[in-house]
């Protein structure tokens, strides 16, 4: 049976079937091939998309902009300082206006309800470019990267070390469940994903053969691991005061050489980026001065080592975002 996601929004991935996700992954790989071969794929000429960013971004913004242009589309970028949204105009009114002018809307911001409402009121496909709860476009890039390494992803064990209830970890839980993978959240109890999401994903896992493990035990997390994944310990939108507590909780979960040595010898390291792996950022240096940590969620030896795949992931953001826009707008 053919897969068709035309006209759909892309908000959490929970409403996409495994076949629909595999279709988007296949399309991502095809767009990567076309881009690498220099073959024109501007098949959405005449369409227009708008990108709304209430949080900062490098990868997601650039991926959407380049992907839209490669597809032949026009792009408008709006940040909170340059639009009326929220301050002088309600979300619903903004969505209705944008839906009259644009064929699709990307949103990055805080509450998940905002991206859901944009989809509800605009009448055009809305793509979630990260909220406090989910980061679904990151997932296609991540799984494409895992596929490029291992082929079939079914049965592969991906362990997330760190704040396992953040947007990236939640979305990994969702996609691994959908694709029959072994997902392990390795984190202290208070940083484990919410029960409601876990229960929902466990029901998906019953259908797909996926396995979900929540553990605070690092040895259990790293055992037989194919993909060692981490993310920053404090996400955008969280207060600076939380750093000390988070460092104390997550220091044992740092991805370093000793941890990587306990994974499968063929294991890869992944990170959505940006990352605090050295002192070459203002926050990295501040944390070093305050707490004496030269690296946080991952050490430089792993980040710069042969098992690291984070820059392949970053490139794949563009190919997979192109696939999402194409499939929902074509
Ligand atoms: N991974 C990711 O979303 O990166 P940006 O915050 O730079 O968009
Ligand atoms: N969890 C991180 C992901 C950044 C891409 C954040 O929300 O800041």
């Amino acid at each position: 049976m053919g897969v068709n996601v035309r006209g759909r929004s892309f908000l959490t991935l929970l409403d996409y079937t495994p076949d629909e996700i595999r279709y988007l992954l296949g399309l991502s790989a095809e767009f990567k091939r076309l881009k690498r071969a220099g073959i024109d794929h501007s098949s959405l000429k005449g369409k227009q998309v708008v990108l709304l960013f209430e949080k900062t971004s490098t990868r997601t913004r650039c991926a959407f902009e380049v992907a839209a242009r490669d597809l032949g589309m026009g792009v408008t970028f709006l940040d909170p300082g340059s639009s009326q949204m929220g301050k002088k105009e309600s979300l619903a009114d903004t969505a209705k206006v944008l839906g009259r002018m644009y064929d699709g809307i990307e949103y990055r911001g805080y509450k998940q309800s905002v991206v859901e409402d944009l989809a509800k009121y605009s009448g055009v496909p809305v793509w979630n470019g990260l909220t406090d709860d989910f980061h679904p476009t990151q997932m296609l890039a991540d799984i494409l990267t895992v596929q490029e390494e291992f082929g079939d992803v079914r049965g592969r064990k991906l362990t997330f070390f760190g704040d396992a209830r953040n947007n990236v970890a939640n979305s990994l839980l969702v996609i691994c469940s959908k694709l029959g993978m072994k997902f392990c959240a390795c984190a202290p109890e208070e940083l484990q994903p919410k029960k409601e999401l876990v229960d929902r994903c466990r029901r998906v896992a019953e259908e797909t053969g996926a396995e979900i493990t929540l553990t605070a035990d690092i040895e259990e997390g790293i055992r037989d691991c194919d993909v060692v994944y981490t993310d920053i310990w404090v996400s955008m939108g969280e207060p600076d005061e939380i750093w000390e507590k988070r460092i104390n909780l997550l220091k044992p979960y740092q991805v370093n050489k000793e941890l990587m040595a306990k994974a499968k010898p063929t294991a890869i390291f992944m990170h959505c980026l940006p990352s605090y792996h050295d002192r070459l950022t203002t926050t990295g240096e501040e944390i070093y001065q305050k707490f004496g940590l030269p690296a946080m969620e991952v050490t430089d030896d792993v980040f710069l080592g042969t098992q690291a795949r984070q820059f392949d992931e970053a490139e794949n953001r563009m190919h997979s975002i192109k696939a999402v826009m194409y499939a929902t707008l074509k």
Side-chain angles (χ1 to χ4, degrees), residues 87-113:
K87 296 182 294 287
K88 284 168 71 179
E89 193 159 38
S90 71
L91 179 64
D93 290 357
T94 307
K96 286 174 194 168
V97 171
L98 296 177
R100 297 287 182 110
M101 298 186 192
Y102 292 96
D103 299 286
I105 302 170
E106 182 276 354
Y107 172 81
R108 164 173 288 200
Y110 298 86
K111 288 191 186 141
Q112 180 67 20
S113 62

Side-chain angles (χ1 to χ4, degrees), residues 55 108 130-131 135 138 166-168 231-232 234-236 272-274:
K55 286 176 178 168
R108 164 173 288 200
L130 180 145
T131 60
H135 196 7
Q138 178 75 48
N166 79 11
N167 39 23
V168 170
D231 184 11
I232 49 174
V234 175
S235 286
M236 289 183 278
C272 57
L273 303 180

Side-chain angles (χ1 to χ4, degrees), residues 190-233:
E190 65 185 278
L191 296 178
Q192 288 285 354
K194 285 200 183 108
K195 186 177 179 310
E196 190 194 341
L197 182 65
V198 174
D199 288 348
R200 199 161 163 190
C201 290
R202 284 203 198 283
R203 288 197 291 277
V204 173
E206 277 169 26
E207 306 277 310
T208 62
E211 287 173 28
I212 298 169
T213 308
L214 310 182
T215 182
D217 179 359
I218 293 161
E219 298 302 322
E220 187 183 356
I222 199 67
R223 195 179 309 125
D224 294 326
C225 189
D226 294 294
V227 181
V228 178
Y229 200 119
T230 190
D231 184 11
I232 49 174
W233 289 343

Side-chain angles (χ1 to χ4, degrees), residues 53 56-61 108 129-130 135 138 236 272-274 317:
F53 279 81
T56 51
S57 168
T58 298
R59 274 145 294 273
T60 309
R61 175 183 175 177
R108 164 173 288 200
L130 180 145
H135 196 7
Q138 178 75 48
M236 289 183 278
C272 57
L273 303 180
R317 296 297 308 285

Side-chain angles (χ1 to χ4, degrees), residues 140-189:
L140 294 179
D142 291 351
I143 300 301
L144 181 62
T145 310
V146 178
Q147 263 181 5
E148 287 170 346
E149 191 70 33
F150 297 115
D152 192 358
V153 299
R154 264 172 296 194
R156 292 284 170 187
K157 176 174 174 180
L158 182 152
T159 301
F160 182 94
F161 291 90
D163 176 10
R165 27 114 270 180
N166 79 11
N167 39 23
V168 170
N170 284 343
S171 287
L172 285 168
L173 166 60
V174 173
I175 199 158
C176 290
S177 307
K178 295 263 176 182
L179 297 180
M181 295 175 67
K182 293 178 180 146
F183 175 78
C184 177
C186 191
E189 202 167 326

